[in-house]
Amino acid sequence: MSRVTGRGRIPRVPSAPFRDSVRLARLESHLLENITEPFPAVEAARLVKLHSAYFSAFFRARVGIQFHRWVQLVRLRKARELLRRTRLPISEVATRSGFGTTRSLQRAARKILGCSPREYRARYRRGILP
């Protein structure tokens, strides 16, 4: 999965595995309902009734990315939505999208979107981003 610098796009998370697997659908539902709460792989493994040693391999084989990366992408998608649709401070966007701190949101945004959350919002409002 490569970053698209300056475009503001988040790589698509494969959705087909979530439709095909009840276990993966349960994970997605849980994360979306509890996006502000920590969601470690151990808890995810327990939720889908898999041994924690097997869970990472199961997830990666089905979805194609590591579990923690998937969680980060889902949270960043929520943050991007809040940045576009609200005037909330960046710190509040970080909190509401499940990032523990503003700094962790900034790191994720720079890594995946290629810009800071503030820059992303400004580009969107200027019409540079779709």
Side-chain angles (χ1 to χ4, degrees):
M1 251 183 233
S2 63
R3 159 180 102 181
V4 179
T5 307
R7 299 239 188 215
R9 290 190 200 151
I10 298 175
R12 287 205 175 268
V13 177
S15 58
F18 288 91
R19 285 190 293 257
D20 297 340
S21 173
V22 173
R23 285 180 169 158
L24 293 174
R26 191 177 307 144
L27 284 177
E28 184 176 40
S29 175
H30 178 81
L31 178 58
L32 292 173
E33 290 172 10
N34 303 286
I35 199 152
T36 60
E37 301 298 318
F39 195 38
V42 172
E43 182 183 335
R46 208 174 11 251
L47 184 68
V48 296
K49 298 178 172 117
L50 290 174
H51 191 278
S52 59
Y54 174 68
F55 174 74
S56 292
F58 166 82
F59 191 88
R60 176 106 185 192
R62 292 287 186 331
V63 181
I65 58 175
Q66 295 174 339
F67 177 73
H68 73 277
R69 172 82 166 160
W70 173 75
V71 171
Q72 185 180 49
L73 289 172
V74 171
R75 288 182 170 157
L76 192 55
R77 192 166 285 125
K78 175 68 173 176
R80 188 178 72 165
E81 176 186 321
L82 291 171
L83 289 167
R84 287 177 169 198
R85 296 184 180 173
T86 71
R87 294 193 178 274
L88 292 170
I90 303 298
S91 59
E92 185 64 22
V93 170
T95 301
R96 289 187 185 191
S97 57
F99 288 94
T101 63
T102 303
R103 181 74 185 123
S104 61
L105 171 59
Q106 289 172 339
R107 273 193 309 259
R110 282 205 184 277
K111 182 178 179 180
I112 297 168
L113 299 176
C115 62
S116 73
R118 182 168 279 116
E119 291 168 333
Y120 179 85
R121 179 180 270 167
R123 289 176 185 177
Y124 179 76
R125 293 215 169 117
R126 286 194 313 251
I128 296 171
L129 299 173

